[in-house]
Amino acid sequence: MATDLSHIRNIGICAHIDAGKTTVSERILYYTGKNYKIGEVHEGTATMDFLQDEQERGITIQSAATTCPWVHKDREYKINLIDTPGHVDFTIEVERSLRVLDGACAVFDGKEGVEAQSETVWRQADRYRVPRLCFVNKMDKIGASFDFSFGTIKSRLGANGIAIQYPIGVGHEHKGIIDLMNMRAFYFEGEKGENRIERDVPADLKETVEKWRHDMVEKIAELDEALTEKYLEGKEISVDELKAALRKGTIARQCYPVLCGAALRNIGVQMLLDAVVDYLPSPSEVPPVEGTDPQDKEVTMTRPHDKDAPFSALVFKVVSDTHGDLTYIRVYSGTLQKGTRLLNPGNNKKENASRIFEMHAQNRIPLEEVSAGNIVAVVGIKDSYTGDTLCDPDKPIILERMLFPEPVISMSIEPKTQDDKRKLSEALLTIRREDPSFRFTYDEETQQTIISGMGELHLDIIRTKLVRDMKIGVEVGKPKVSYREAITKKVEDVRGLFKKQSGGRGQYGDCVISLEPFSAAAAEAEELDFTDSIAFENAIVGGVIPKEFIPSVEYGIRQTAITGVKFGYPLINIKATLTYGSYHDVDSSQVAFEQAGRLALLEAVDRAGPVLLEPIMKVVITVPNEYLGNVTGDVSSRRGMIIDTDDRGVVKLVNCEIPLSELFGYTTSLRGMSQGRASATMEFLEYRQMPRNLQEEMMGEKNKEKAAKK
């Protein structure tokens, strides 16, 4: 039987690494009756961290979904819960989870307050317009401070936090929680804190909590005109009125209720579940999902969160499995029965949802059907991946896709044996299907497979997966930077003469060229082919070189440029003009003129001021104001150039250009100099001339390599 939409909550638990998200999730599973014992992260027994890497490292690597019941005020609610990673390297897991959730619970460390990844996750949730609760965890930690942590929510996130609870004691003295709405104290007794005991507010805290309650009432009253009037007139505002206004403000993202507790000591999690029901929206309270018409992308469409509407769902995760891929979907509208044929309007392919499962971490509970508002996994989907839409074939719609972060770090990976080589490309495709933030390419120049990801830990996890799970032997190392060669001035009348006599028929090719720096815009203006950033013009008159040999000269020039002239890297942005030459009736051939073209180019480049170009990356750094000096100083030390800085509230966006060769390990370095609070995105901008001293260093290294090979 389908659950009433108003009794469903789709929520995520997200925060900085080690703030206690998974511990909170484990308590939720225990108190809702989903688990009969509590799993612990530090013991490697957490239900939601079921991957071997997660258990060994004690961190969450991939998001895990579960569904659990919760009874609040004598009504049963269905909570679809996703536990997300906290490490910045796995930010894609948070990204795709937030895209399909209606609400989230941001967990903070009671001693540290808002940390680096907390800010990243908060900005992601803002982008997807997700209402949030805040849970200040670890109030039992030495040095914990609710006042400090609450302050960082405003100062670092710029968020309108409203405290609705206050801790009874901190550190070893943390015993319970005061509910500021009802001004009652709650203690959690029993072996696992399962018994909620209600008492009067302790006398020594009365003055403090009355001040906190006064602030809470004032902030809530500001959210509603009628309550503002009441407050200014000094009239009493009832608890029901406060809760209704706070719920409305939270769903509209005008405010964020702040709760507290200590999940590891089983304090406050049941009250967090009550707050999820009280303040976060059900699927029916969020706006209808938006999409576009597959036939006309300009036409916008919506689907209501209704089980009787045409079916639509978004694929937000694919997990490769020996029994068939598991495709996680969020159902936005309609009802799906197992065995139903669906359409992926993005690629126009039909899919078959042969089986439907409600997920509990890695365990599956089979379902006959699923309706709007739910999150499930489906088996039988073959050609749909993260971000794709599945819908009713007769009523197609393409839902808004999610954003995938661009990789920021790369390394080379090489198979150890021929058998490993055969298996590697298929394995990398499988990983790419599961993880859209992972990329891989084969570099023809360096003969390496380059894998790219969100950080060193991300790539290390992928390497472990290849070696341990997929049984493929690989060696990893740093990739080589792909440089380019160019010239700085025009040269004319450079001769290339290839003459060979060997008793019988000889070889003779003779050409004269001019060579100059050139651009794509100039090639377009002159209507010249600019393949591989090389233009060739034939200016021969009077037939001094027969027509059939001219393409051979061009071929010789192009092939020599592609393989490199002085430094061994491709030569780009040049125009070669064939101006004169001569031929022999018997000894001239296509091969001879290819060689003549090659010799002419080698000589011309030597005279034309050859230089080495390096790839320049456009880098955008998001950094809190207090670390701006550290970051800009570091950019300068990497031969970087700051273009501009932009204020974004409590953070600055630094736009700069930095050579790729200076960016290996940059993500790790950036985290170190900003206590993990800065992040960066980068993309290729252009090739630019390398400083002369560095070119000479590179030439010296190349000469040493050549000498070593001899």
Side-chain angles (χ1 to χ4, degrees):
M1 185 180 146
T3 308
D4 186 322
L5 270 184
S6 65
H7 292 171
I8 294 175
R9 299 289 184 274
N10 292 311
I11 66 160
I13 308 287
C14 44
H16 185 89
I17 191 167
D18 209 29
K21 298 175 309 303
T22 302
T23 305
V24 170
S25 298
E26 292 300 318
R27 268 56 185 182
I28 288 174
L29 296 180
Y30 178 74
Y31 296 130
T32 57
K34 195 74 181 181
N35 280 357
Y36 295 104
K37 64 175 186 175
I38 294 177
E40 300 292 4
V41 175
H42 55 273
E43 293 172 2
T45 57
T47 305
M48 303 299 266
D49 284 353
F50 55 84
L51 293 181
Q52 189 176 337
D53 264 319
E54 292 178 318
Q55 291 166 356
E56 287 172 359
R57 297 170 190 258
I59 60 169
T60 303
I61 291 168
Q62 68 171 27
S63 53
T66 189
T67 301
C68 45
W70 181 243
V71 177
H72 179 51
K73 294 179 181 172
D74 300 324
R75 282 186 182 173
E76 184 171 300
Y77 291 82
K78 179 179 181 179
I79 297 176
N80 292 315
L81 172 74
I82 297 180
D83 176 30
T84 65
H87 198 289
V88 69
D89 283 16
F90 309 107
T91 188
I92 179 63
E93 293 289 340
V94 184
E95 189 83 32
R96 57 181 165 196
S97 298
L98 287 170
R99 170 65 180 83
V100 298
L101 293 170
D102 301 323
C105 176
V107 178
F108 304 103
D109 184 310
K111 182 185 175 187
E112 309 298 336
V114 174
E115 296 174 87
Q117 189 63 2
S118 320
E119 294 182 56
T120 304
V121 170
W122 196 268
R123 287 196 287 269
Q124 286 174 304
D126 280 340
R127 192 160 61 240
Y128 289 114
R129 302 182 288 281
V130 177
R132 275 145 278 169
L133 298 177
C134 302
F135 182 69
V136 181
N137 191 27
K138 300 193 176 186
M139 291 311 304
D140 58 332
K141 194 174 178 180
I142 294 170
S145 165
F146 182 75
D147 299 49
F148 165 75
S149 297
F150 180 76
T152 62
I153 290 170
K154 185 170 185 179
S155 63
R156 291 187 181 176
L157 301 176
N160 180 23
I162 300 181
I164 60 172
Q165 292 178 355
Y166 194 80
I168 301 171
V170 291
H172 295 314
E173 302 298 313
H174 184 49
K175 298 170 190 167
I177 289 163
I178 291 166
D179 172 11
L180 297 175
M181 284 283 183
N182 297 291
M183 289 297 276
R184 299 293 291 166
F186 289 87
Y187 300 84
F188 301 83
E189 298 179 359
E191 192 185 345
K192 300 290 184 188
E194 58 270 26
N195 302 321
R196 235 189 300 188
I197 310 298
E198 185 179 341
R199 297 192 182 125
D200 292 334
V201 173
D204 61 327
L205 283 176
K206 267 194 172 170
E207 192 177 326
T208 302
V209 296
E210 275 171 6
K211 177 186 173 299
W212 277 88
R213 188 177 197 277
H214 179 270
D215 289 348
M216 178 195 78
V217 172
E218 186 177 5
K219 280 187 166 184
I220 294 174
E222 288 171 2
L223 301 169
D224 184 280
E225 281 185 27
L227 292 190
T228 304
E229 214 170 288
K230 243 183 169 183
Y231 179 77
L232 293 173
E233 289 171 3
K235 292 178 182 175
E236 187 68 30
I237 301 173
S238 72
V239 171
D240 286 346
E241 286 176 313
L242 288 171
K243 283 190 169 183
L246 184 57
R247 177 180 180 78
K248 188 179 172 187
T250 303
I251 292 171
R253 293 179 297 111
Q254 295 172 322
C255 65
Y256 305 91
V258 182
L259 300 87
C260 59
L264 192 61
R265 284 178 58 189
N266 312 309
I267 296 173
V269 178
Q270 297 100 312
M271 294 176 76
L272 174 63
L273 281 163
D274 288 343
V276 164
V277 170
D278 283 339
Y279 304 117
L280 291 181
S282 68
S284 57
E285 291 171 294
V286 294
V289 66
E290 292 185 358
T292 54
D293 185 335
Q295 303 303 318
D296 184 353
K297 300 292 194 308
E298 300 298 313
V299 177
T300 56
M301 308 170 76
T302 59
R303 287 279 190 273
H305 301 279
D306 183 348
K307 65 182 177 63
D308 297 320
F311 179 80
S312 69
L314 188 78
V315 175
F316 71 94
K317 187 178 171 79
V318 177
V319 177
S320 294
D321 191 271
T322 47
H323 308 295
D325 286 357
L326 267 182
T327 303
Y328 284 76
I329 62 170
R330 159 71 195 262
V331 181
Y332 283 101
S333 63
T335 302
L336 175 67
Q337 295 173 329
K338 74 173 187 179
T340 303
R341 295 281 284 174
L342 298 169
L343 173 70
N344 177 340
N347 58 21
N348 214 30
K349 291 193 175 177
K350 295 284 179 69
E351 299 279 20
N352 182 33
S354 55
R355 285 178 291 165
I356 305 168
F357 296 103
E358 186 178 279
M359 297 302 294
H360 177 44
Q362 83 269 44
N363 301 317
R364 311 172 183 189
I365 300 153
L367 299 174
E368 290 300 311
E369 66 173 36
V370 61
S371 58
N374 282 289
I375 292 171
V376 293
V378 180
V379 170
I381 308 298
K382 304 279 190 232
D383 297 301
S384 300
Y385 306 112
T386 301
D388 285 353
T389 301
L390 294 172
C391 63
D392 183 334
D394 297 325
K395 299 284 177 66
I397 183 174
I398 296 180
L399 303 179
E400 183 189 350
R401 293 183 68 86
M402 57 194 77
L403 298 168
F404 300 134
E406 286 300 311
V408 295
I409 191 167
S410 305
M411 64 172 61
S412 62
I413 186 164
E414 292 177 16
K416 288 182 177 177
T417 67
Q418 277 301 113
D419 189 44
D420 291 330
K421 190 175 184 178
R422 279 194 296 273
K423 293 191 286 186
L424 182 61
S425 59
E426 194 177 322
L428 293 175
L429 278 168
T430 299
I431 295 170
R432 172 85 176 100
R433 198 163 64 239
E434 290 186 357
D435 181 357
S437 66
F438 169 71
R439 307 272 200 285
F440 69 96
T441 55
Y442 184 73
D443 191 325
E444 293 287 350
E445 286 175 41
T446 60
Q447 304 288 297
Q448 292 174 312
T449 297
I450 307 295
I451 59 172
S452 307
M454 299 309 299
E456 286 164 45
L457 177 61
H458 185 199
L459 294 184
D460 188 43
I461 296 286
I462 284 166
R463 185 194 63 78
T464 305
K465 191 169 191 173
L466 288 167
V467 174
R468 186 177 63 198
D469 302 343
M470 298 177 166
K471 306 289 187 286
I472 300 170
V474 291
E475 296 281 355
V476 297
K478 280 188 178 179
K480 296 174 185 171
V481 175
S482 250
Y483 296 98
R484 294 288 185 269
E485 296 179 24
I487 56 171
T488 54
K489 60 186 178 183
K490 182 176 180 177
V491 290
E492 295 180 330
D493 301 328
V494 181
R495 190 176 189 196
L497 175 63
F498 183 71
K499 193 173 180 182
K500 204 170 183 183
Q501 203 67 41
S502 54
R505 181 181 169 182
Q507 294 282 3
Y508 183 91
D510 175 26
C511 67
V512 176
I513 66 168
S514 63
L515 191 69
E516 62 188 295
F518 212 55
S519 66
E524 192 177 337
E526 294 184 27
E527 297 182 353
L528 292 174
D529 177 15
F530 202 54
T531 305
D532 296 318
S533 299
I534 302 160
F536 176 82
E537 185 175 18
N538 173 24
I540 290 291
V541 289
V544 290
I545 298 177
K547 283 181 182 177
E548 64 265 29
F549 295 138
I550 289 168
S552 301
V553 175
E554 180 180 357
Y555 183 78
I557 288 171
R558 285 186 178 277
Q559 287 306 109
T560 306
I562 288 166
T563 54
V565 177
K566 185 172 173 103
F567 303 98
Y569 296 103
L571 175 66
I572 62 168
N573 298 341
I574 58 162
K575 175 188 174 186
T577 306
L578 178 59
T579 57
Y580 194 71
S582 64
Y583 73 102
H584 189 280
D585 287 335
V586 177
D587 292 348
S588 286
S589 67
Q590 289 182 338
V591 171
F593 274 99
E594 273 180 32
Q595 290 302 316
R598 177 176 174 276
L599 293 170
L601 184 71
L602 292 174
E603 175 67 24
V605 168
D606 205 41
R607 290 197 221 162
V611 291
L612 197 59
L613 305 180
E614 59 182 339
I616 303 295
M617 306 299 283
K618 179 185 176 186
V619 184
V620 181
I621 307 164
T622 306
V623 57
N625 293 329
E626 58 262 45
Y627 301 108
L628 182 64
N630 294 358
V631 168
T632 52
D634 181 69
V635 167
S636 300
S637 74
R638 293 172 186 272
R639 298 191 289 122
M641 184 166 63
I642 294 168
I643 306 303
D644 62 47
T645 56
D646 190 14
D647 272 312
R648 290 289 169 88
V650 291
V651 297
K652 280 211 165 46
L653 286 188
V654 182
N655 292 287
C656 48
E657 296 169 4
I658 306 175
L660 176 61
S661 60
E662 302 285 347
L663 286 170
F664 292 122
Y666 181 63
T667 315
T668 307
S669 227
L670 182 64
R671 288 176 202 155
M673 73 183 86
S674 65
Q675 294 185 0
R677 291 177 60 200
S679 61
T681 60
M682 54 187 84
E683 60 184 275
F684 173 74
L685 178 65
E686 65 180 4
Y687 278 96
R688 203 175 284 163
Q689 189 172 329
M690 197 176 194
R692 181 69 63 182
N693 62 319
L694 293 178
Q695 288 185 46
E696 286 166 6
E697 271 179 40
M698 279 200 65
M699 279 304 289
E701 284 171 21
K702 274 195 169 290
N703 292 335
K704 279 180 194 171
E705 282 175 23
K706 284 178 187 173
K709 283 176 184 173
K710 286 177 185 174

